[in-house]
């Protein structure tokens, strides 16, 4: 990953390519990404998808670990409210997301770096829009600040 | 869980040029070979082909592989293929993991970034698969019955196919009779078969088939369970006539205190009248009357002479105290055939539907020209005159960004059919106003040519306005004739709007009840547009007919047959294997906090008071993993989605 870090820890380099770890549910958002593929919708290549059966499976530790390992952003994708394949796993994800987001903010991780989005199996276009938007916003922020990551590494030893 | 000594084979698919045209597969293979535990790395033109699978099988045998990673398309497409290949070679199928470098990579990215992404994803998979464990699938028995929802031609055909094959079928229809839209049509294109002549024998076959339980005037209200074992509740609305006792003699209708029909007849779209006690239409199945409590005097005042009861006599079929009942059934599979609704033409105000009496929808005209319709098959205007000129406007509520963007597929053809029938019955001049003529189908183009030769006029252009002509009750159609390049104003006696097809208003509630997905337009979503067109993403639930998208009768029947075959195939297995991705509790670690118990939507988690630990019933667990993520002590784990596996995937991505 090309990266230049300014003294304040914020990279302003134009060639900075953020790396974003995504957790997509098997039934909606993963399929939306499949649909974006079959529809040949071009979007930013910065997201790496980890498939889980439900957004409710996303343990906050997964998110912390991704940041601790240096991910510039984490994106969770689930089914729209009311559409969860497992009835209500996405609501569970939403609850954890709100708590985790506040915690991450206190650790110095900007809120734009952590998103939960509802993207249904038919929304390939929305998948593209969300990914592109998130990549742009994280690119503008620069790489995850090393001190924040280091702090996380220390604190996220719950494993 | 300890890390075993893994011997991994990595297989990279070119998918022709689909992947290899974008991702540098040779570089990816070389990179894969450098990863820890990778014993062999290969790339091949089509990994899913027999020779491709053979590569894997041979390597498992000869190189002693105990893990396999396949970088190819989406696991939704070929995970089963590669797991089966591993299984055939004696490797537990869950020691195989797929990397999606097509849908998620080569089809959406370009340049070196695509290869870089492929490397990251591949590395993640290699690190993950080390932690995969052999798993066994659970066997679930399948109930030997099928629920078919919707009694149009799709549901009828699917139900008959299954019943004739010896399967028990419950056919649930919302309306008082089966038949659906097809029962309303006069002739069918392009052969001009009489719709009733070909449909009613199938309708009566449904009623007489001992394997079919037919519930009309009924609706599904809840669905629980999963493939092989669905529990479904059906509400049977009261018809105030006991179905088993009514013989369909219609003496009650004759005897009703209303001597003349007075109320809008739903089946004829309000173009004729019916009495409060009525048969929906002459060929209705079942041949059982019903009473509309909104219009029946007995229901409104309790002071009717009840001449209907008198006429029914000893049969005693009329029961004013009938209540709705809730039936619970258990089925192994479900076929949804809930159909469509036609576009509400009043949404396009400039066509004047609902404002000018002689503007009709195509469905209304189907009833008007139908021999059993309100005018006995005579096409007349509302004032009783025969039309001398008729304009048919195509694409009403189709191919229009203000209403519905899709092509409804059937309107061009039914407009041609109506043009032919109108000309045949009335001798009127018929004008068709079209954007494009779409006649792909067996015998369709020939029919178009035939209708053109019969002297029907075709004007290419979208009608911009419909307004009263001077005085004589005619309507003027204003249209830009795009072939002549000029605006024309054509006076007609009758306007027929070729309304498009759209998802039913309650499609969203229905799909949520059955836990399936919709396309962005609202049609029920098939599992794969080409290779699984009647399956849904919910195992055991299949689609037939227009609920999946607009289609004509031949396509609907073909799809219904396919859905029946899929359901039959499922039932015939007698037991199915469930994915083993269930959650389980490490009892020694569980602190007994009960956090998980309330989280499970399937009530699969109970609390063992004696041991003071949580317990997961594997048969009820669907494998979502919510409880796993919530467990504060890390004592709940999930097969195939173990923490270690996901952490390693994250580490692999970020390495």
């Amino acid at each position: 990953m090309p990266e230049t870090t300014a003294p304040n820890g914020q990279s302003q380099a134009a060639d900075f390519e953020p790396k974003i770890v995504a957790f997509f549910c098997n039934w909606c958002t993963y399929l939306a990404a499949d649909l974006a593929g079959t529809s040949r919708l071009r979007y930013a290549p910065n997201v790496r998808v980890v498939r889980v059966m439900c957004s409710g499976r996303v343990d906050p530790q997964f998110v912390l670990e991704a940041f601790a390992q240096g991910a510039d952003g984490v994106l969770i994708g689930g089914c729209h409210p009311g559409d969860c394949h497992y009835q209500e796993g996405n609501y569970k994800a939403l609850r954890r997301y709100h708590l985790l987001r506040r915690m991450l903010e206190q650790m110095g991780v900007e809120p734009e770096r952590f998103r939960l989005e509802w993207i249904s199996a038919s929304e390939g276009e929305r998948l593209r829009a969300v990914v592109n938007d998130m990549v742009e916003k994280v690119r503008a922020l620069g790489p995850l600040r090393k001190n924040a990551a280091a702090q996380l590494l220390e604190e996220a030893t719950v494993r | 869980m300890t890390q075993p000594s893994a011997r991994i084979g990595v297989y990279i698919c070119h998918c022709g040029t689909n992947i290899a045209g974008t991702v540098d597969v040779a570089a990816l293979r070389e990179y894969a070979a450098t990863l820890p535990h990778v014993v062999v790395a290969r790339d091949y033109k089509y990994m899913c082909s027999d020779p491709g699978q053979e590569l894997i099988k041979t390597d498992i045998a000869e190189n002693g592989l105990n893990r396999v990673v396949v970088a190819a398309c989406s696991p939704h497409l070929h995970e089963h293929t590669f797991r089966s290949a591993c299984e055939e070679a004696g490797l537990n199928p869950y020691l195989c993991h797929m990397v999606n470098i097509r849908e998620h990579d080569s089809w959406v990215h370009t340049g070196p970034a695509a290869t870089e992404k492929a490397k990251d994803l591949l590395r993640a998979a290699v690190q993950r698969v080390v932690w995969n464990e052999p798993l066994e699938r659970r066997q679930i028995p399948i109930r030997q019955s099928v629920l078919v929802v919707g009694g149009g031609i799709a549901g009828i055909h699917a139900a008959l196919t299954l019943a004739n094959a010896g399967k028990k079928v419950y056919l649930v229809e919302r309306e008082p009779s089966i038949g659906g839209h097809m029962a309303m049509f006069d002739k069918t294109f392009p052969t001009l078969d009489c719709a009733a002549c070909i449909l009613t024998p199938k309708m009566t076959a449904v009623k007489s088939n001992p394997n079919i339980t037919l519930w009309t005037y009924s609706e599904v209200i809840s669905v629980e369970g999963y493939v092989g074992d669905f529990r479904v509740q059906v509400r049977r609305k009261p018809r105030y006539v006991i179905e088993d006792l009514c013989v369909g003699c219609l003496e009650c209708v004759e005897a009703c205190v209303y001597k003349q029909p007075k109320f809008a007849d739903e089946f004829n779209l309000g173009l004729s009248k019916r009495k409060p006690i009525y048969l929906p239409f002459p060929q209705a199945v079942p041949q059982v009357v019903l009473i509309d409590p909104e219009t029946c005097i007995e229901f409104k005042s309790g002071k009717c002479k009840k001449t209907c009861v008198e006429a029914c006599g000893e049969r005693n079929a009329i029961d004013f105290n009938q209540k709705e009942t809730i039936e619970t059934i258990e089925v192994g599979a479900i076929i949804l055939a809930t159909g469509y609704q036609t576009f509400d033409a009043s949404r396009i105000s400039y066509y004047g539907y609902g404002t000018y009496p002689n503007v009709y929808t195509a469905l209304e005209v189907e009833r008007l020209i139908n021999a059993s319709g309100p005018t006995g098959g005579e096409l007349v205007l509302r004032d009783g005159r025969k039309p001398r000129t008729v304009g048919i406007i195509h694409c009403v509520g189709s191919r229009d960004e203000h209403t519905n963007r899709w092509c409804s597929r059937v309107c061009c053809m039914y407009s041609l059919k109506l043009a032919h029938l109108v000309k045949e019955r009335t001798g009127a001049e018929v004008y068709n106003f079209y954007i494009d003529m779409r006649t792909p189908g067996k015998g369709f183009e020939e029919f178009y040519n035939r209708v053109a030769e019969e002297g029907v006029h075709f004007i290419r252009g979208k009608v911009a306005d419909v307004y009263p002509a001077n005085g004589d009750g005619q309507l003027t159609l204003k249209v830009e004739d795009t072939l002549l390049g000029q605006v024309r104003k054509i006076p007609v006696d009758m306007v027929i709007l070729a309304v498009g097809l759209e998802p039913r208003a309650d499609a969203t509630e229905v799909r949520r009840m059955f836990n399936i997905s919709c396309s962005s337009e609202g049609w029920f979503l098939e599992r794969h547009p080409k290779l699984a067109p009647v399956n849904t993403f919910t195992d055991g639930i299949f689609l037939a007919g227009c609920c999946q998208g607009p289609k004509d009768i031949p396509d609907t029947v073909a799809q219904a047959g396919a859905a029946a075959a899929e359901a039959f195939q499922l039932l015939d297995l007698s037991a199915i294997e469930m994915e083993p991705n269930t959650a389980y509790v490490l009892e020694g670690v569980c602190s007994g906090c009960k956090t998980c118990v309330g989280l499970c939507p399937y009530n699969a988690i109970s609390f063992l008071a004696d041991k003071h630990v949580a317990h997961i019933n594997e048969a009820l667990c669907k494998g979502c993993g919510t409880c796993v993520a919530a467990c504060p002590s890390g004592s709940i784990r999930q097969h195939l989605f173990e923490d270690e596996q996901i952490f390693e995937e994250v580490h692999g991505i970020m390495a």
Side-chain angles (χ1 to χ4, degrees), chain B residues 75-143:
Chain B
H76 282 280
L77 205 59
H78 272 309
E79 189 171 62
H80 182 72
T81 308
F82 295 116
R83 278 182 178 168
S84 301
C86 289
E87 200 167 16
E88 285 164 27
L91 185 66
N92 184 284
Y94 297 95
L95 298 174
C96 170
H97 191 75
M98 272 192 88
V99 189
N100 186 340
I101 59 167
R102 193 179 74 170
E103 283 84 347
H104 288 196
D105 192 11
S106 70
W107 277 353
V108 288
H109 307 316
T110 51
T115 305
E116 284 311 302
K117 181 168 177 176
K119 285 181 183 172
D120 282 359
L121 293 175
L122 184 64
R123 188 172 59 233
V126 166
Q127 290 191 208
R128 174 204 220 271
V129 82
V130 169
W131 294 88
N132 278 27
E133 289 182 317
L135 298 169
E136 297 306 321
R137 299 188 188 101
R138 286 171 293 153
Q139 296 269 333
I140 302 278
I142 299 172
R143 294 191 182 278

Side-chain angles (χ1 to χ4, degrees), chain B residues 153-154 157-158 161 182 202 545 551-563:
Chain B
I153 180 59
H157 188 76
T161 306
M182 187 176 170
K202 293 185 79 105
K551 54 183 65 66
D552 61 14
I553 294 167
D555 284 3
T556 296
V557 171
Q559 200 189 24

Side-chain angles (χ1 to χ4, degrees), chain B residues 247-517:
Chain B
V247 295
C249 66
L250 306 186
E251 284 176 27
C252 53
V253 179
E254 192 63 33
C256 177
V257 293
Y258 283 98
K259 289 298 164 218
Q260 293 300 322
K262 196 183 168 196
F263 307 100
D265 179 340
E266 292 86 353
F267 186 77
N268 280 326
L269 304 167
L271 294 166
S272 67
K273 304 274 192 245
R274 60 158 172 79
K275 295 184 179 180
I277 187 163
Y278 65 105
L279 188 68
F281 56 99
Q283 305 93 332
V285 170
Q287 280 278 318
V288 174
V289 297
L290 71 157
I291 297 173
D292 171 17
E294 297 294 313
T295 53
C296 172
I297 292 177
E298 178 61 18
F299 280 96
K300 288 169 76 174
S301 68
K303 291 175 185 162
C304 185
K305 285 189 283 180
K306 292 186 264 191
T307 44
C308 53
V309 177
E310 215 172 284
C312 194
E314 287 180 1
R315 289 184 289 264
N316 278 320
I318 296 173
D319 175 9
F320 289 104
N321 296 316
Q322 200 175 49
K323 298 277 179 289
E324 72 167 35
T325 55
I326 307 290
E327 306 272 359
T328 303
I329 53 174
E330 290 168 331
V331 294
I334 296 172
I335 295 175
L336 290 178
T338 52
Y340 63 95
Q341 64 186 34
T342 53
F343 175 77
D344 173 10
S346 64
R347 282 173 62 194
I348 304 180
S349 58
Y350 50 82
Y351 287 156
Y353 180 75
T355 307
Y356 308 126
N358 290 328
V359 178
Y360 293 85
T361 67
L363 201 54
E364 289 171 334
V365 175
E366 293 280 358
R367 293 312 302 149
L368 286 176
I369 58 176
N370 193 303
S372 67
T375 55
E378 210 159 333
L379 183 68
V380 289
L381 297 166
R382 290 199 207 259
D383 61 8
R385 285 185 301 132
K386 273 195 173 182
R388 286 160 297 149
T389 45
V390 175
I392 302 177
I393 303 177
H394 291 218
C395 295
V396 177
S398 301
R399 307 182 68 203
D400 176 356
E401 59 186 47
H402 300 296
T403 56
N404 297 325
R405 293 176 65 179
W406 57 86
C407 168
S408 295
R409 282 192 59 190
V410 293
C411 325
C412 279
M413 284 305 295
Y414 80 56
S415 295
L416 289 170
K417 174 195 74 180
L418 290 177
H420 166 84
L421 294 173
V422 167
K423 200 162 177 62
E424 183 185 71
R425 306 276 169 90
T426 65
E429 290 296 318
V430 182
Y431 296 87
N432 275 57
F433 302 89
Y434 67 97
I435 308 175
D436 298 292
M437 283 303 298
R438 296 195 164 174
T439 59
K442 194 175 181 183
F444 287 13
E445 184 71 8
E446 296 90 325
F447 186 73
Y448 174 28
N449 289 330
R450 170 185 167 181
V451 173
E453 280 165 16
E454 286 170 357
V456 169
H457 306 282
F458 291 94
I459 295 174
R460 198 184 82 177
K462 207 169 172 179
V463 173
D465 204 3
V466 175
Y467 54 92
N470 292 335
D472 55 0
Q474 284 197 317
L475 294 162
T476 300
L477 300 183
K478 187 177 168 188
V479 60
E480 184 192 352
D481 186 327
T482 57
L483 294 177
L484 283 180
Q486 63 182 51
V487 174
R488 298 174 67 180
K489 291 174 183 169
I490 296 169
V492 297
D493 292 323
M494 177 186 232
V495 175
I496 302 175
L497 302 177
V499 284
L501 277 47
E502 54 184 26
R504 286 196 177 272
D506 62 352
T508 300
E509 289 90 78
V510 171
R511 79 168 173 90
R512 282 193 175 153
M513 187 157 57
F514 288 93
N515 198 7
I516 62 167
S517 302

Side-chain angles (χ1 to χ4, degrees), chain B residues 546-622:
Chain B
C546 287
C547 61
Q548 181 259 347
K551 54 183 65 66
D552 61 14
I553 294 167
D555 284 3
T556 296
V557 171
Q559 200 189 24
E566 291 282 348
F568 184 85
Q569 170 191 268
L570 178 67
L571 262 58
D572 227 38
L573 290 170
S574 74
I576 45 161
E577 294 185 319
M578 301 293 281
E579 281 295 291
N581 57 333
T582 46
Y584 60 100
V585 179
L586 300 178
E587 290 189 355
V589 189
C590 177
S591 67
C593 72
K594 301 183 194 173
T595 302
C596 54
V597 176
L599 284 179
C600 180
Y602 307 102
N603 297 319
I605 309 179
S606 54
F607 186 72
L608 304 182
D610 52 338
K611 293 190 190 170
H612 202 71
V613 292
H615 174 75
I616 294 174
N617 181 340
E618 221 188 335
L620 294 177
C621 173
K622 304 284 186 303

Side-chain angles (χ1 to χ4, degrees), chain A residues 19 26-27 30 33-34 37 41-45 47-48 51 53 56-57 65 71 83 85-86 92 96, chain B residues 74-76 79 100 103-104 108-109 117 120 511-512 515 537 599 602 624 626 629 638 641 643 651 653:
Chain A
K19 197 183 258 192
N26 183 56
W27 305 101
Y30 193 91
D34 277 5
L41 302 175
R42 302 250 173 256
Y43 59 84
V47 170
R48 311 284 184 261
R51 181 164 71 126
M53 293 312 282
R57 172 68 183 97
E65 185 70 9
D83 288 359
H85 190 82
Y86 303 102
K92 311 285 168 25
R96 292 176 197 138
Chain B
S74 170
H76 282 280
E79 189 171 62
N100 186 340
E103 283 84 347
H104 288 196
V108 288
H109 307 316
K117 181 168 177 176
D120 282 359
R511 79 168 173 90
R512 282 193 175 153
N515 198 7
F537 284 102
L599 284 179
Y602 307 102
C624 65
T626 295
Q638 184 184 11
F641 292 89
D643 283 355
H651 291 169
I653 287 168

